[in-house]
Amino acid sequence: MIDLSQHDAGPRNLRVREFYLGRQPILDRNQNLFGYELLFRNAPVGPAHITTELSATAAVIAHASQLGMERTVGDALGFVNVDADVIMTDIFAFLPREKMVLEICATEPVTPLLLARVEELAGQGLRFALADVSGENETIVALLPWIEYIKMDMRTPLSTLMKLAPRFRQQKKKLVAEKVETREDFKNALDLEFDYFQGYYFSRPVIMSGKKLSPSQLAVMELMTLVTSDADNIDIERAIKRDVSLALNLLRLVNTPAVGARQRIESLSQAVTLLGRRQLQRWLQIMLYAEPSKRGHSMTPLLMLATTRGRLLELLAGKLRPSQRHVADVAFTVGIMSLMDTLFGMPMAEILAQIPVNDDVSQALLARDGFHGDLLKLAECIERIEEMDDHIVPALRNLAMSADELVELELAAFEWSDNVVRYAL
């Protein structure tokens, strides 16, 4: 076994912090959040400091764990890709075992040493998944006794999936559909009785012409208009009281640790007075994603993604333009509103016709233009790190930000979003 501490420094000048961190949501059959696949990519900045795949993978995972793997996954499970070299290290001392699933590629060559190590780790309580399964081979047959999850790509021919899925279900394996990018992919995987679904199908807008906002959404939108105008606090409070569920949800949300209030907020009057217009507007934006009627229908992942985007953009703007508080406020609004076309099933242009926003927000949301548009593009690249990895370096260079700084802000955004979602559900 390889001692991971050997990869921390020394003559190879290992720079473990030069990496990007992406996470892809994994949902259950009710479209509630179940886990994340954590994707680590080395940032090609300057000379190559990491000379082997082992040090690139193991050292990055170890360092991310030290930064706070639990901050990254929250209450969900984390699926982490590992190869034979990494499995032979002592990296698992860094990982919160009850939260992690080790993902092995189905094409990984099997050796007696690897099998013995997998059996040993399984005996210690670690769980395993097999990824990229498109048939049966020696690797799958040999590792299957220790495998809990089987991951299959939805781009695999449907006829192949129809043969494989029942076979693995009979062996009591949990099935994860990967690359679920469309509603049709999701329906096919449901029909094949997959247990979990990985991809961004839930964030793709399904535009329905003539769709109207729900009564609770309209109530929130009207309240947002009052907050952004010069309406008196008493008028805002009266508007909130007209909708009992809105009032209760708002009180619950504003008492989340993410708000950072020094005392518990017990009344609507307190909420309006203590929070101020800027914070109140923020929580109303979040409430659009957290309305009760959305529960169990993509609400959780959309809420998680929108709050993470909003917070990450706010933190990025605060880091890049620390003396301009309003720029960070606008960044949060851009992030949180960027998924409203999916939430409402309406084109973004129609939404912006109903919600008054300034030109910076409009340009960012409609054309990904300007400073805030650049921040939004970066966040979207990180979310789709597998397909858009090569766009991240130019985006960071354009913003004069390091990969190290980006990961720190990402972790803070993940943690903040997790806190919000716990209180919103």
Side-chain angles (χ1 to χ4, degrees):
M1 191 186 305
I2 300 171
D3 180 1
L4 197 64
S5 63
Q6 295 170 9
H7 299 275
D8 285 343
R12 283 181 295 174
N13 190 25
L14 183 65
R15 297 284 299 279
V16 298
R17 302 194 76 168
E18 290 175 356
F19 70 95
Y20 311 128
L21 168 64
R23 62 176 195 175
Q24 282 199 353
I26 301 173
L27 311 182
D28 65 16
R29 290 180 66 86
N30 293 318
Q31 301 193 67
N32 292 318
L33 188 69
F34 170 72
Y36 293 105
E37 179 172 348
L38 303 180
L39 301 164
F40 303 98
R41 293 289 186 275
N42 261 356
V45 182
H49 296 293
I50 300 178
T51 58
T52 69
E53 195 59 36
L54 168 61
S55 54
T57 305
V60 163
I61 294 175
H63 188 68
S65 301
Q66 289 169 333
L67 285 174
M69 193 68 84
E70 294 191 3
R71 292 168 65 194
T72 309
V73 299
D75 291 333
L77 284 181
F79 286 68
V80 179
N81 290 279
V82 294
D83 59 15
D85 285 338
V86 175
I87 288 173
M88 300 310 296
T89 71
D90 65 350
I91 188 175
F92 308 104
F94 293 95
L95 296 173
R97 316 192 158 203
E98 69 285 356
K99 286 183 171 287
M100 307 312 298
V101 177
L102 305 182
E103 195 170 306
I104 304 171
C105 183
T107 57
E108 182 74 35
V110 172
T111 64
L113 203 59
L114 175 64
L115 285 175
R117 179 64 170 154
V118 169
E119 183 176 7
E120 176 192 355
L121 292 172
Q124 295 173 10
L126 279 158
R127 288 174 281 183
F128 289 89
L130 265 179
D132 301 321
V133 175
S134 58
E136 284 193 291
N137 58 26
E138 290 181 6
T139 297
I140 295 171
V141 172
L143 287 173
L144 208 55
W146 298 284
I147 297 299
E148 186 171 342
Y149 301 92
I150 297 286
K151 300 183 79 174
M152 287 183 269
D153 192 324
M154 288 308 292
R155 295 172 300 184
T156 304
L158 194 57
S159 57
T160 302
L161 294 173
M162 290 173 71
K163 291 176 186 174
L164 291 175
R167 199 175 303 169
F168 288 120
R169 273 204 319 277
Q170 285 177 350
Q171 295 169 301
K172 309 297 182 187
K173 306 303 175 186
K174 295 168 185 170
L175 304 183
V176 183
E178 292 188 281
K179 304 294 182 187
V180 184
E181 295 297 320
T182 67
R183 299 283 164 174
E184 185 181 3
D185 290 340
F186 177 58
K187 184 183 181 303
N188 287 339
L190 273 176
D191 291 344
L192 289 168
E193 297 185 44
F194 276 76
D195 301 285
Y196 304 107
F197 311 86
Q198 179 176 340
Y200 281 97
Y201 67 96
F202 68 87
S203 68
R204 297 276 173 89
V206 179
I207 305 301
M208 289 170 275
S209 59
K211 181 180 177 182
K212 297 185 185 300
L213 302 186
S214 71
S216 59
Q217 287 171 332
L218 279 172
V220 174
M221 300 278 271
E222 288 167 6
L223 190 51
M224 282 171 59
T225 303
L226 280 176
V227 169
T228 54
S229 69
D230 291 328
D232 292 333
N233 282 0
I234 191 68
D235 294 327
I236 293 172
E237 192 179 332
R238 282 198 196 105
I240 298 172
K241 284 179 177 176
R242 281 199 293 268
D243 189 317
V244 175
S245 66
L246 175 63
L248 291 174
N249 285 340
L250 181 61
L251 278 177
R252 184 170 68 243
L253 269 178
V254 298
N255 281 295
T256 172
V259 173
R262 291 177 184 164
Q263 63 189 80
R264 181 168 178 80
I265 298 172
E266 302 286 356
S267 68
L268 293 174
S269 178
Q270 263 188 307
V272 174
T273 304
L274 293 177
L275 288 179
R277 299 297 171 99
R278 180 178 64 82
Q279 280 284 341
L280 191 54
Q281 181 182 354
R282 164 177 308 213
W283 295 104
L284 289 170
Q285 289 166 341
I286 290 171
M287 283 180 65
L288 286 171
Y289 291 88
E291 66 161 328
S293 64
K294 290 286 176 188
R295 287 184 185 146
H297 296 85
S298 302
M299 187 278 296
T300 308
L302 262 190
L303 173 62
M304 181 73 79
L305 192 58
T307 50
T308 301
R309 271 192 198 179
R311 183 61 170 166
L312 178 59
L313 264 62
E314 179 184 34
L315 293 172
L316 284 166
K319 180 86 173 175
L320 295 167
R321 300 191 179 176
S323 62
Q324 302 175 44
R325 174 67 248 185
H326 73 283
V327 173
D329 292 339
V330 170
F332 182 88
T333 295
V334 168
I336 203 83
M337 289 188 67
S338 63
L339 288 160
M340 283 190 181
D341 51 352
T342 300
L343 178 69
F344 297 146
M346 296 166 60
M348 186 62 76
E350 286 185 26
I351 293 168
L352 296 186
Q354 298 184 46
I355 303 177
V357 296
N358 65 32
D359 288 344
D360 286 345
V361 175
S362 180
Q363 283 184 330
L365 292 174
L366 293 175
R368 303 302 190 260
D369 278 347
F371 174 70
H372 293 99
D374 287 342
L375 297 184
L376 181 55
K377 282 189 290 188
L378 175 58
E380 291 171 331
C381 286
I382 295 164
E383 290 164 6
R384 298 181 174 274
I385 199 168
E386 284 186 312
E387 309 118 55
M388 306 187 76
D389 188 15
D390 56 345
H391 294 272
I392 298 177
V393 170
L396 283 177
R397 192 175 295 128
N398 185 40
L399 294 167
M401 174 167 280
S402 71
D404 176 18
E405 291 171 315
L406 175 61
V407 169
E408 294 278 5
L409 298 183
E410 270 193 283
L411 288 170
F414 293 156
E415 187 175 31
W416 188 88
S417 173
D418 185 56
N419 269 326
V420 170
V421 171
R422 287 184 197 186
Y423 278 75
L425 297 180

